[in-house]
């Protein structure tokens, strides 16, 4: 259709064949004309055979899919750079294999680029409505307003601007202690584009639905290991102190309890053991503040949830401290 920009949807994937099909189903339901978009899939060394899923999407959904398999898994950022190099579109629409776009997603996002000043468009990332979250579900992806990390789960970028800024910085791709890809190249690129003077938009209607990953308790507690990259982001882009951190220092304010508890334990060991009694007293006071109640049952529930979260917050805090030392940029 004349006048509409060509859009290339770029997806980096490793395994997840079932989720990838769900993503394709969402792309197949787009209101945007089928002849005005393509899907570029970069297979990041999957052990699953994704060929049948892509063939099915071509046959049943009529999607124009081009694909390439990487020689080694270096993480999503390098894979996405490859995807952009293959893309024919003037607009790059990034999403992930565990995401499913709503029908108006692409049309709304692409329309913003009629304004030549716009280089970056993002939208909400919400849980898939048919799925239910539990205590240990991974829900950190949820964004209802513009988020300063600009996740590639839902991000449109003008291709010329992407190339002008060198794409994703592949030095920001790491592996966590469980050999999972960990990176912050999307945030870094977005802020480089913003600081260069380009305009951006957030579209509340351009919704991306995200898989609710059911994690075991162990991985739920250790999820925060990936946060060691936050200090490096803040070092590169000091604007994030105001955008992402509380008081320019705290990434997750409730973790302040961890630092207070550690200080009290050290003080008790060095000065007065009775100071340890302040820990449950502070926890109870926090419970009264949060629940706005002195009901023993409500307070017991709050204290129980907090105690369960304490190991998780400790992992987050230690990861941030490690990153602060490694990158010489303090974030707590």
């Amino acid at each position: 259709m004349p006048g509409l920009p060509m859009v290339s949807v770029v997806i980096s994937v490793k395994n997840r064949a079932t989720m990838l099909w769900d993503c394709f189903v969402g792309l197949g339901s787009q209101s945007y004309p089928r002849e005005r978009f393509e899907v570029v899939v970069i297979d990041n060394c999957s052990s699953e055979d994704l060929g049948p899923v892509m063939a099915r999407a071509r046959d049943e959904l009529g999607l124009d899919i081009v694909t390439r398999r990487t020689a080694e898994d270096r993480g999503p950022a390098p894979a996405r750079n490859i995807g952009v190099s293959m893309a024919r579109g003037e607009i790059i629409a990034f999403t992930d294999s565990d995401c499913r776009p709503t029908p108006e997603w692409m049309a709304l996002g692409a329309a913003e680029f009629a304004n030549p000043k716009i280089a970056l468009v993002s939208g909400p990332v919400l849980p898939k409505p048919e799925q239910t979250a539990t205590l240990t579900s991974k829900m950190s992806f949820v964004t209802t307003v513009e988020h300063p990390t600009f996740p590639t789960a839902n991000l449109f970028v003008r291709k010329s601007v992407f190339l002008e800024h060198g794409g994703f910085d592949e030095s920001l791709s790491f592996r966590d202690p469980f050999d999972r890809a960990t990176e912050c190249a999307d945030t870094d690129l977005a802020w480089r584009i913003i600081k260069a003077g380009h305009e951006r938009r957030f579209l509340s209607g351009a919704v991306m639905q995200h898989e609710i990953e059911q994690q075991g308790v162990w991985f739920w507690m250790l999820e925060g290991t990936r946060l060691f990259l936050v200090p490096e982001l803040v070092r590169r882009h000091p604007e994030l102190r105001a955008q992402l951190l509380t008081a320019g220092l705290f990434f997750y304010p409730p973790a302040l309890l961890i630092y207070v508890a550690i200080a009290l334990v050290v003080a008790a060991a060095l000065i007065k053991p009775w100071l340890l009694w302040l820990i449950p007293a502070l926890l109870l006071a926090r419970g009264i503040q949060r629940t706005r109640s002195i009901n023993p049952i409500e307070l017991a529930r709050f204290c129980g949830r907090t105690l369960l979260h304490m190991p998780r917050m400790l992992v987050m805090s230690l990861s941030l401290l490690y990153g602060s030392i490694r990158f010489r940029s303090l974030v707590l």
Side-chain angles (χ1 to χ4, degrees), residues 13-253:
V13 61
K14 184 171 184 177
N15 300 317
R16 293 176 166 179
T18 300
M19 294 184 199
L20 182 61
W21 170 252
D22 196 33
C23 181
F24 287 156
V25 169
L27 291 171
S29 70
Q30 293 299 296
S31 63
Y32 203 69
R34 193 67 52 88
E35 66 273 14
R36 299 306 298 162
F37 75 90
E38 64 175 351
V39 183
V40 182
V41 178
I42 305 301
D43 182 347
N44 228 352
C45 298
S46 297
S47 57
E48 297 178 33
D49 182 4
L50 302 181
V53 175
M54 288 186 270
R56 182 185 175 193
R58 292 187 186 100
D59 294 341
E60 296 184 18
L61 303 175
L63 293 179
D64 178 8
I65 300 175
V66 293
T67 185
R68 180 181 298 177
R69 181 180 172 89
T70 59
E72 61 176 319
D73 179 7
R74 296 173 51 228
R80 292 184 185 115
N81 281 342
I82 293 172
V84 174
S85 72
M86 298 167 57
R88 294 183 291 120
E90 58 198 273
I91 308 301
I92 307 297
F94 292 105
T95 191
D96 296 327
S97 58
D98 54 359
C99 295
R100 181 180 65 214
T102 52
E104 296 300 318
W105 171 70
M106 193 180 303
L108 290 171
E112 292 298 313
F113 290 92
N115 180 347
K117 295 181 180 180
I118 299 296
L120 201 67
V121 173
S122 60
V125 182
L126 305 176
K128 292 181 178 179
E130 71 275 15
Q131 298 178 348
T132 303
T134 64
L135 175 65
T136 60
S137 297
K138 184 177 180 180
M139 299 294 290
S140 56
F141 60 81
V142 175
T143 56
T144 57
V145 297
E146 184 182 79
H147 198 276
T149 59
F150 297 94
T152 44
N154 189 356
L155 189 67
F156 295 83
V157 184
R158 194 181 295 275
K159 183 180 179 182
S160 59
V161 175
F162 180 95
L163 296 175
E164 174 189 335
H165 289 274
F168 295 114
D169 185 343
E170 298 180 9
S171 71
L172 292 173
S173 290
F174 300 86
R175 311 299 294 187
D176 75 0
F178 305 99
D179 199 36
R180 299 176 300 181
T182 303
E183 61 180 40
C184 55
D186 46 3
T187 309
D188 170 68
L189 175 63
W191 279 95
R192 283 189 280 126
I193 290 173
I194 291 167
K195 291 194 290 187
H198 296 285
E199 294 185 13
R200 67 188 192 270
R201 292 287 185 271
F202 178 84
L203 304 178
S204 59
V207 176
M208 184 63 65
Q209 296 172 343
H210 196 292
E211 186 84 8
I212 298 178
E213 182 181 346
Q214 305 297 344
Q215 304 177 111
V217 173
W218 178 249
F219 279 101
W220 174 75
M221 287 189 176
L222 296 177
E223 184 184 351
T225 55
R226 298 179 173 188
L227 295 178
F228 77 92
L229 285 173
V230 174
E232 171 63 355
L233 275 176
V234 171
R235 186 188 69 81
R236 291 186 178 210
H237 306 288
E239 299 84 356
L240 281 169
R241 286 205 177 271
Q243 296 281 333
L244 189 61
L245 307 181
T246 299
L249 185 62
F250 296 100
F251 178 78
Y252 186 61

Side-chain angles (χ1 to χ4, degrees), residues 272-331:
K272 299 289 185 181
W274 62 263
L275 288 173
L276 289 174
W277 287 104
L278 289 176
I279 295 177
L282 288 171
L283 179 60
L284 188 61
R286 176 68 172 168
I288 293 172
Q289 178 193 30
R290 288 297 302 273
T291 64
R292 298 181 180 179
S293 170
I294 57 172
N295 184 309
I297 296 177
E298 288 293 323
L299 292 176
R301 287 175 179 167
F302 173 84
C303 292
R305 288 194 301 268
T306 301
L307 290 173
L308 183 60
H309 277 77
M310 289 294 273
R312 177 179 164 91
M313 289 192 291
L314 179 60
V315 169
M316 293 171 61
S317 300
L318 291 175
S319 298
L320 289 168
L321 286 171
Y322 164 73
S324 296
I325 295 170
R326 176 172 177 173
F327 299 114
R328 299 182 182 181
S329 173
L330 183 60
V331 177

